[in-house]
Amino acid sequence: MADEDLPVVSFGNLMTEGTTLSRRGQHDKALGCFNDALKLRAGDKHCLITRSRCFLKLGDTENSLKDAEASLQIDNTFYEGLYQKAETLYAMGDFEFALVFYHRGRRLRPDLHKFQLGINKAEEAIINCIGNPSSVKLESKEELCFVSRQAESKKDKQKQQNKPKDQKDQKQTKKQSPKTEQQLLGQLYADKAYLEKLLKDEDLMQSSTRQGVKVMDLVLGGISYLNQRRDFWQQQKPIYARVYERKVLRQGRTQDKKQKPSDIARAIAKEMEDIELMLARGSAEESCRKAERLLKKIQAWSEDEVPNKNELIGNLHSCIGDAQLAMGQMEAALRSHKMDLDCARQNTLTDAVSRALDNIGHVYARIGKFQQAINTWEEKIPLAQSSLEKAWLFHEIGRCYLELDKAEVAQDYGQKSLQSADEEGDVEWQLHATVLVAQAQVKLKDYRSAILNFERALEKARLVPSEAAQNGIIA
C-alpha cells in the first residue's frame, strides 16, 4: 500500500479515541492511545492529565502521580494538574499533601467547586486518622514541616529490612475482626474470603499458569491489594465514624442552621449531581423542581455557611434554564440564563459569564433570533479558553449568519472554525466546519470550491466515523 493511502492518525484523533475508550471503562486500550498521542506531541499537558486519570482508574497511582507532576513542570499554574496531583495523593492515602495541592488549586481557581470539595474530604480523612487538630498541641523550637507519607514509608521499609523475619510475618498476619473487615470491604469481603480459602488448596497453590506465573503469587497479590484497600478506607472513614453517622441518622437530621459548612457543601454537591443526572436522563421537569427547591435553600443560608453562595445561585439559574429549554419553555429559559449572567457579572465570575453567554445564544438561536444569538456569542469569543471551544463557537456564529443569508460572513466564520479545529486536531469539528464552508460556497454559487470542500468533509466523516454525516454530504 502506498504511503498516501494510509489513514492519517493525528494527535486529535488519538485523544478523541482514548477519551471515548476511557469513558467506556476500557482504560488499558485508552492508555495505548494516549501513549501514541504523546509520541506525536511530547509533553502536552492536557494529554498527560488525561493519561494520569487513566492510570488512576487502573490503580496505578505511581504513574498517575508522575504524569500529574510532569504537567506541572510544564506549567506550574495548570489547575487541572494540581487537581489531578491532589486526587492521586488522596488515593495513595497521603491526605496531608493532597490537602496542600487542593488549597493551591483553590487559590488559582476559587470559582471551581471541586477544589473546595477536595479540601473538605482531605480534612475529614486527616481528622479520622489523627483526631481533631484542635486537641493536639505541638511544642517545638525548631521549624515544623510536612513529611510525606511516601518518605515515611521508605524509612519504614529500611527499618523492616533490619527486623527479624518472624517480626515481619507477625505484623503481616495481624488481622482485624471479620465483622470490621466486612464493613470496610463491603462486597469485596466475599472475594477476599474466597482467595483465602484457595490458599488452603496446596495442589492448586503449587501449580502455574500458562505464562509460568505461580497461582500462589496471584492469590497472595490479590489478598495484598484488598488489604491495602481496606487500610485506605479505614483511614478515609474509620468504622467509629460510620457508626457515629448511623447514630446521627437515627436521631433525625439536624437543622440546616446547625450544619457545618463542610456538611452543607457535600449535601449541595450531591443535590447538584442529582439535578444534572435527572436532566441527562430526560426528567427535565423533575430536575427543574429540584433545582428551584435547592435555590431557595441556598438563598436562605449565610455566606459563612456557604462560602461560594453567589456562584451556586448562578449555577442553579443555569440548571433551571437548561431544564426549561428542554421542556420548550423558551422565554422562561432566557430569563433564567440572563439571571445567571447578571449574577456572574456582579461577582466577577469569568467562567460563569462565559457559560451564561453560551446558553443565552443557544436560546436565541432556537427561537430564530439569529442576530441576537450572534451578538451574544461574539461577546463570548474573548472568554474562550481553548481552540476547541473557539471551533464550535465560530461554527455556531457562522451557522447563524448562513440562516440570515449572509453567506460571505458565514464562510469567514467557517474558515475560522476550521482553523481552530486544525489547531486542536479535532476531526469532528473539522468535519462540521468544512460542511459549513461548503454550504456557504453553494449560496455564493462557488460550486467548484463547494464540491472540493464537500469531498474533504466526506473524508472526515469516514474518519469519525459517521454514517449519517456521510449520507448527508453525499446527498
Side-chain angles (χ1 to χ4, degrees):
M1 184 184 288
D3 290 344
E4 60 185 11
D5 295 329
L6 291 170
V8 178
V9 180
S10 68
F11 176 81
N13 289 348
L14 291 166
M15 283 293 290
T16 303
E17 186 181 352
T19 304
T20 303
L21 289 168
S22 187
R23 283 173 183 166
R24 291 174 184 166
Q26 298 174 316
H27 304 298
D28 284 323
K29 292 181 180 179
L31 269 182
C33 293
F34 298 137
N35 291 337
D36 291 340
L38 285 166
K39 289 175 186 176
L40 294 176
R41 197 181 291 181
D44 183 90
K45 62 184 182 182
H46 297 285
C47 187
L48 284 167
I49 285 304
T50 314
R51 190 172 70 171
S52 175
R53 292 192 196 105
C54 205
F55 277 129
L56 193 57
K57 291 282 185 182
L58 291 166
D60 188 351
T61 51
E62 186 178 347
N63 279 317
S64 177
L65 188 62
K66 281 180 183 177
D67 277 355
E69 289 177 337
S71 74
L72 290 171
Q73 285 176 356
I74 296 162
D75 179 4
N76 60 8
T77 62
F78 183 40
Y79 70 90
E80 286 292 349
L82 288 169
Y83 182 74
Q84 185 59 22
K85 184 170 182 179
E87 286 285 280
T88 305
L89 288 167
Y90 182 86
M92 295 169 80
D94 203 347
F95 304 125
E96 298 95 333
F97 264 71
L99 182 62
V100 170
F101 286 96
Y102 284 129
H103 273 293
R104 286 185 188 175
R106 191 180 67 169
R107 282 198 296 272
L108 278 174
R109 293 296 301 272
D111 54 309
L112 292 179
H113 193 47
K114 63 183 180 181
F115 284 114
Q116 183 58 53
L117 290 176
I119 290 168
N120 293 342
K121 72 179 182 182
E123 286 179 345
E124 184 179 8
I126 292 167
I127 290 170
N128 286 338
C129 288
I130 64 172
N132 196 316
S134 62
S135 63
V136 180
K137 290 184 179 180
L138 295 175
E139 293 182 2
S140 177
K141 294 180 182 179
E142 297 179 2
E143 184 182 2
L144 295 173
C145 63
F146 276 119
V147 178
S148 170
R149 286 173 190 252
Q150 296 160 4
E152 289 176 358
S153 65
K154 288 180 182 178
K155 291 179 181 178
D156 289 340
K157 285 178 183 177
Q158 290 174 356
K159 288 178 182 178
Q160 286 174 3
Q161 288 174 358
N162 299 325
K163 284 184 179 180
K165 189 176 179 181
D166 58 342
Q167 285 185 1
K168 289 184 188 177
D169 294 340
Q170 189 178 358
K171 187 176 181 180
Q172 287 173 356
T173 55
K174 185 181 177 181
K175 293 183 179 179
Q176 297 191 13
S177 70
K179 185 178 178 181
T180 302
E181 195 165 49
Q182 189 171 6
Q183 285 179 302
L184 287 165
L185 287 174
Q187 294 179 350
L188 294 175
Y189 179 75
D191 297 330
K192 185 167 186 278
Y194 175 74
L195 290 173
E196 288 175 339
K197 187 177 179 181
L198 287 180
L199 282 175
K200 297 175 182 178
D201 189 336
E202 293 181 5
D203 293 335
L204 178 63
M205 290 303 101
Q206 295 304 318
S207 63
S208 301
T209 64
R210 290 179 182 178
Q211 289 76 27
V213 182
K214 289 193 73 173
V215 172
M216 178 180 279
D217 293 337
L218 290 172
V219 173
L220 288 173
I223 293 171
S224 175
Y225 173 77
L226 290 172
N227 285 338
Q228 288 172 6
R229 289 291 86 194
R230 177 199 66 198
D231 295 341
F232 172 71
W233 288 324
Q234 171 70 4
Q235 289 175 324
Q236 187 183 19
K237 189 171 283 295
I239 292 299
Y240 68 78
R242 299 175 188 208
V243 172
Y244 174 74
E245 283 182 358
R246 286 198 294 273
K247 185 179 178 183
V248 169
L249 286 172
R250 284 197 298 269
Q251 290 174 348
R253 294 190 177 188
T254 57
Q255 295 181 354
D256 290 339
K257 289 183 180 179
K258 293 181 180 179
Q259 284 183 296
K260 294 179 181 179
S262 59
D263 295 334
I264 294 172
R266 278 192 294 274
I268 291 171
K270 177 66 172 64
E271 290 202 51
M272 292 294 291
E273 285 177 9
D274 291 342
I275 289 164
E276 291 174 5
L277 192 59
M278 286 173 191
L279 185 59
R281 289 175 176 173
S283 305
E285 192 174 345
E286 192 178 353
S287 174
C288 188
R289 280 200 302 268
K290 191 172 181 67
E292 287 171 343
R293 287 197 299 268
L294 181 58
L295 179 61
K296 287 179 182 177
K297 285 170 69 176
I298 289 174
Q299 286 171 333
W301 278 320
S302 68
E303 290 191 5
D304 290 334
E305 293 170 305
V306 187
N308 57 336
K309 178 178 176 178
N310 294 320
E311 180 192 348
L312 284 168
I313 287 172
N315 203 348
L316 282 166
H317 281 306
S318 179
C319 291
I320 292 166
D322 288 340
Q324 289 166 335
L325 184 64
M327 291 187 287
Q329 300 172 5
M330 301 301 178
E331 293 300 324
L334 194 58
R335 283 195 301 273
S336 294
H337 288 309
K338 283 183 175 179
M339 289 171 78
D340 178 25
L341 181 60
D342 291 340
C343 186
R345 281 176 172 163
Q346 287 169 13
N347 296 284
T348 324
L349 299 170
T350 308
D351 285 351
V353 170
S354 181
R355 175 190 65 210
L357 289 170
D358 176 25
N359 289 325
I360 292 167
H362 276 299
V363 179
Y364 276 135
R366 284 279 296 273
I367 61 180
K369 294 185 177 180
F370 299 113
Q371 190 56 56
Q372 288 93 323
I374 289 168
N375 295 340
T376 305
W377 278 329
E378 285 183 338
E379 190 179 346
K380 174 184 163 69
I381 291 172
L383 304 177
Q385 295 184 350
S386 68
S387 297
L388 189 60
E389 190 175 1
K390 287 178 183 176
W392 67 254
L393 185 56
F394 290 144
H395 176 272
E396 296 301 298
I397 295 171
R399 180 65 56 193
C400 287
Y401 273 119
L402 199 63
E403 294 287 343
L404 293 171
D405 287 326
K406 295 182 179 180
E408 194 170 345
V409 188
Q411 183 182 4
D412 290 341
Y413 270 103
Q415 295 286 5
K416 288 180 180 178
S417 177
L418 182 58
Q419 184 181 348
S420 296
D422 287 341
E423 287 174 8
E424 193 66 28
D426 191 282
V427 179
E428 191 172 348
W429 279 105
Q430 287 171 352
L431 166 63
H432 296 320
T434 307
V435 170
L436 174 60
V437 171
Q439 289 174 329
Q441 287 167 342
V442 169
K443 287 204 171 190
L444 291 167
K445 298 183 180 179
D446 185 2
Y447 299 120
R448 186 182 295 276
S449 300
I451 289 170
L452 287 172
N453 277 309
F454 275 129
E455 287 175 348
R456 291 190 187 110
L458 188 57
E459 291 173 8
K460 301 291 183 187
R462 286 169 181 155
L463 285 173
V464 171
S466 171
E467 189 176 342
Q470 290 177 49
N471 293 336
I473 291 164
I474 291 167

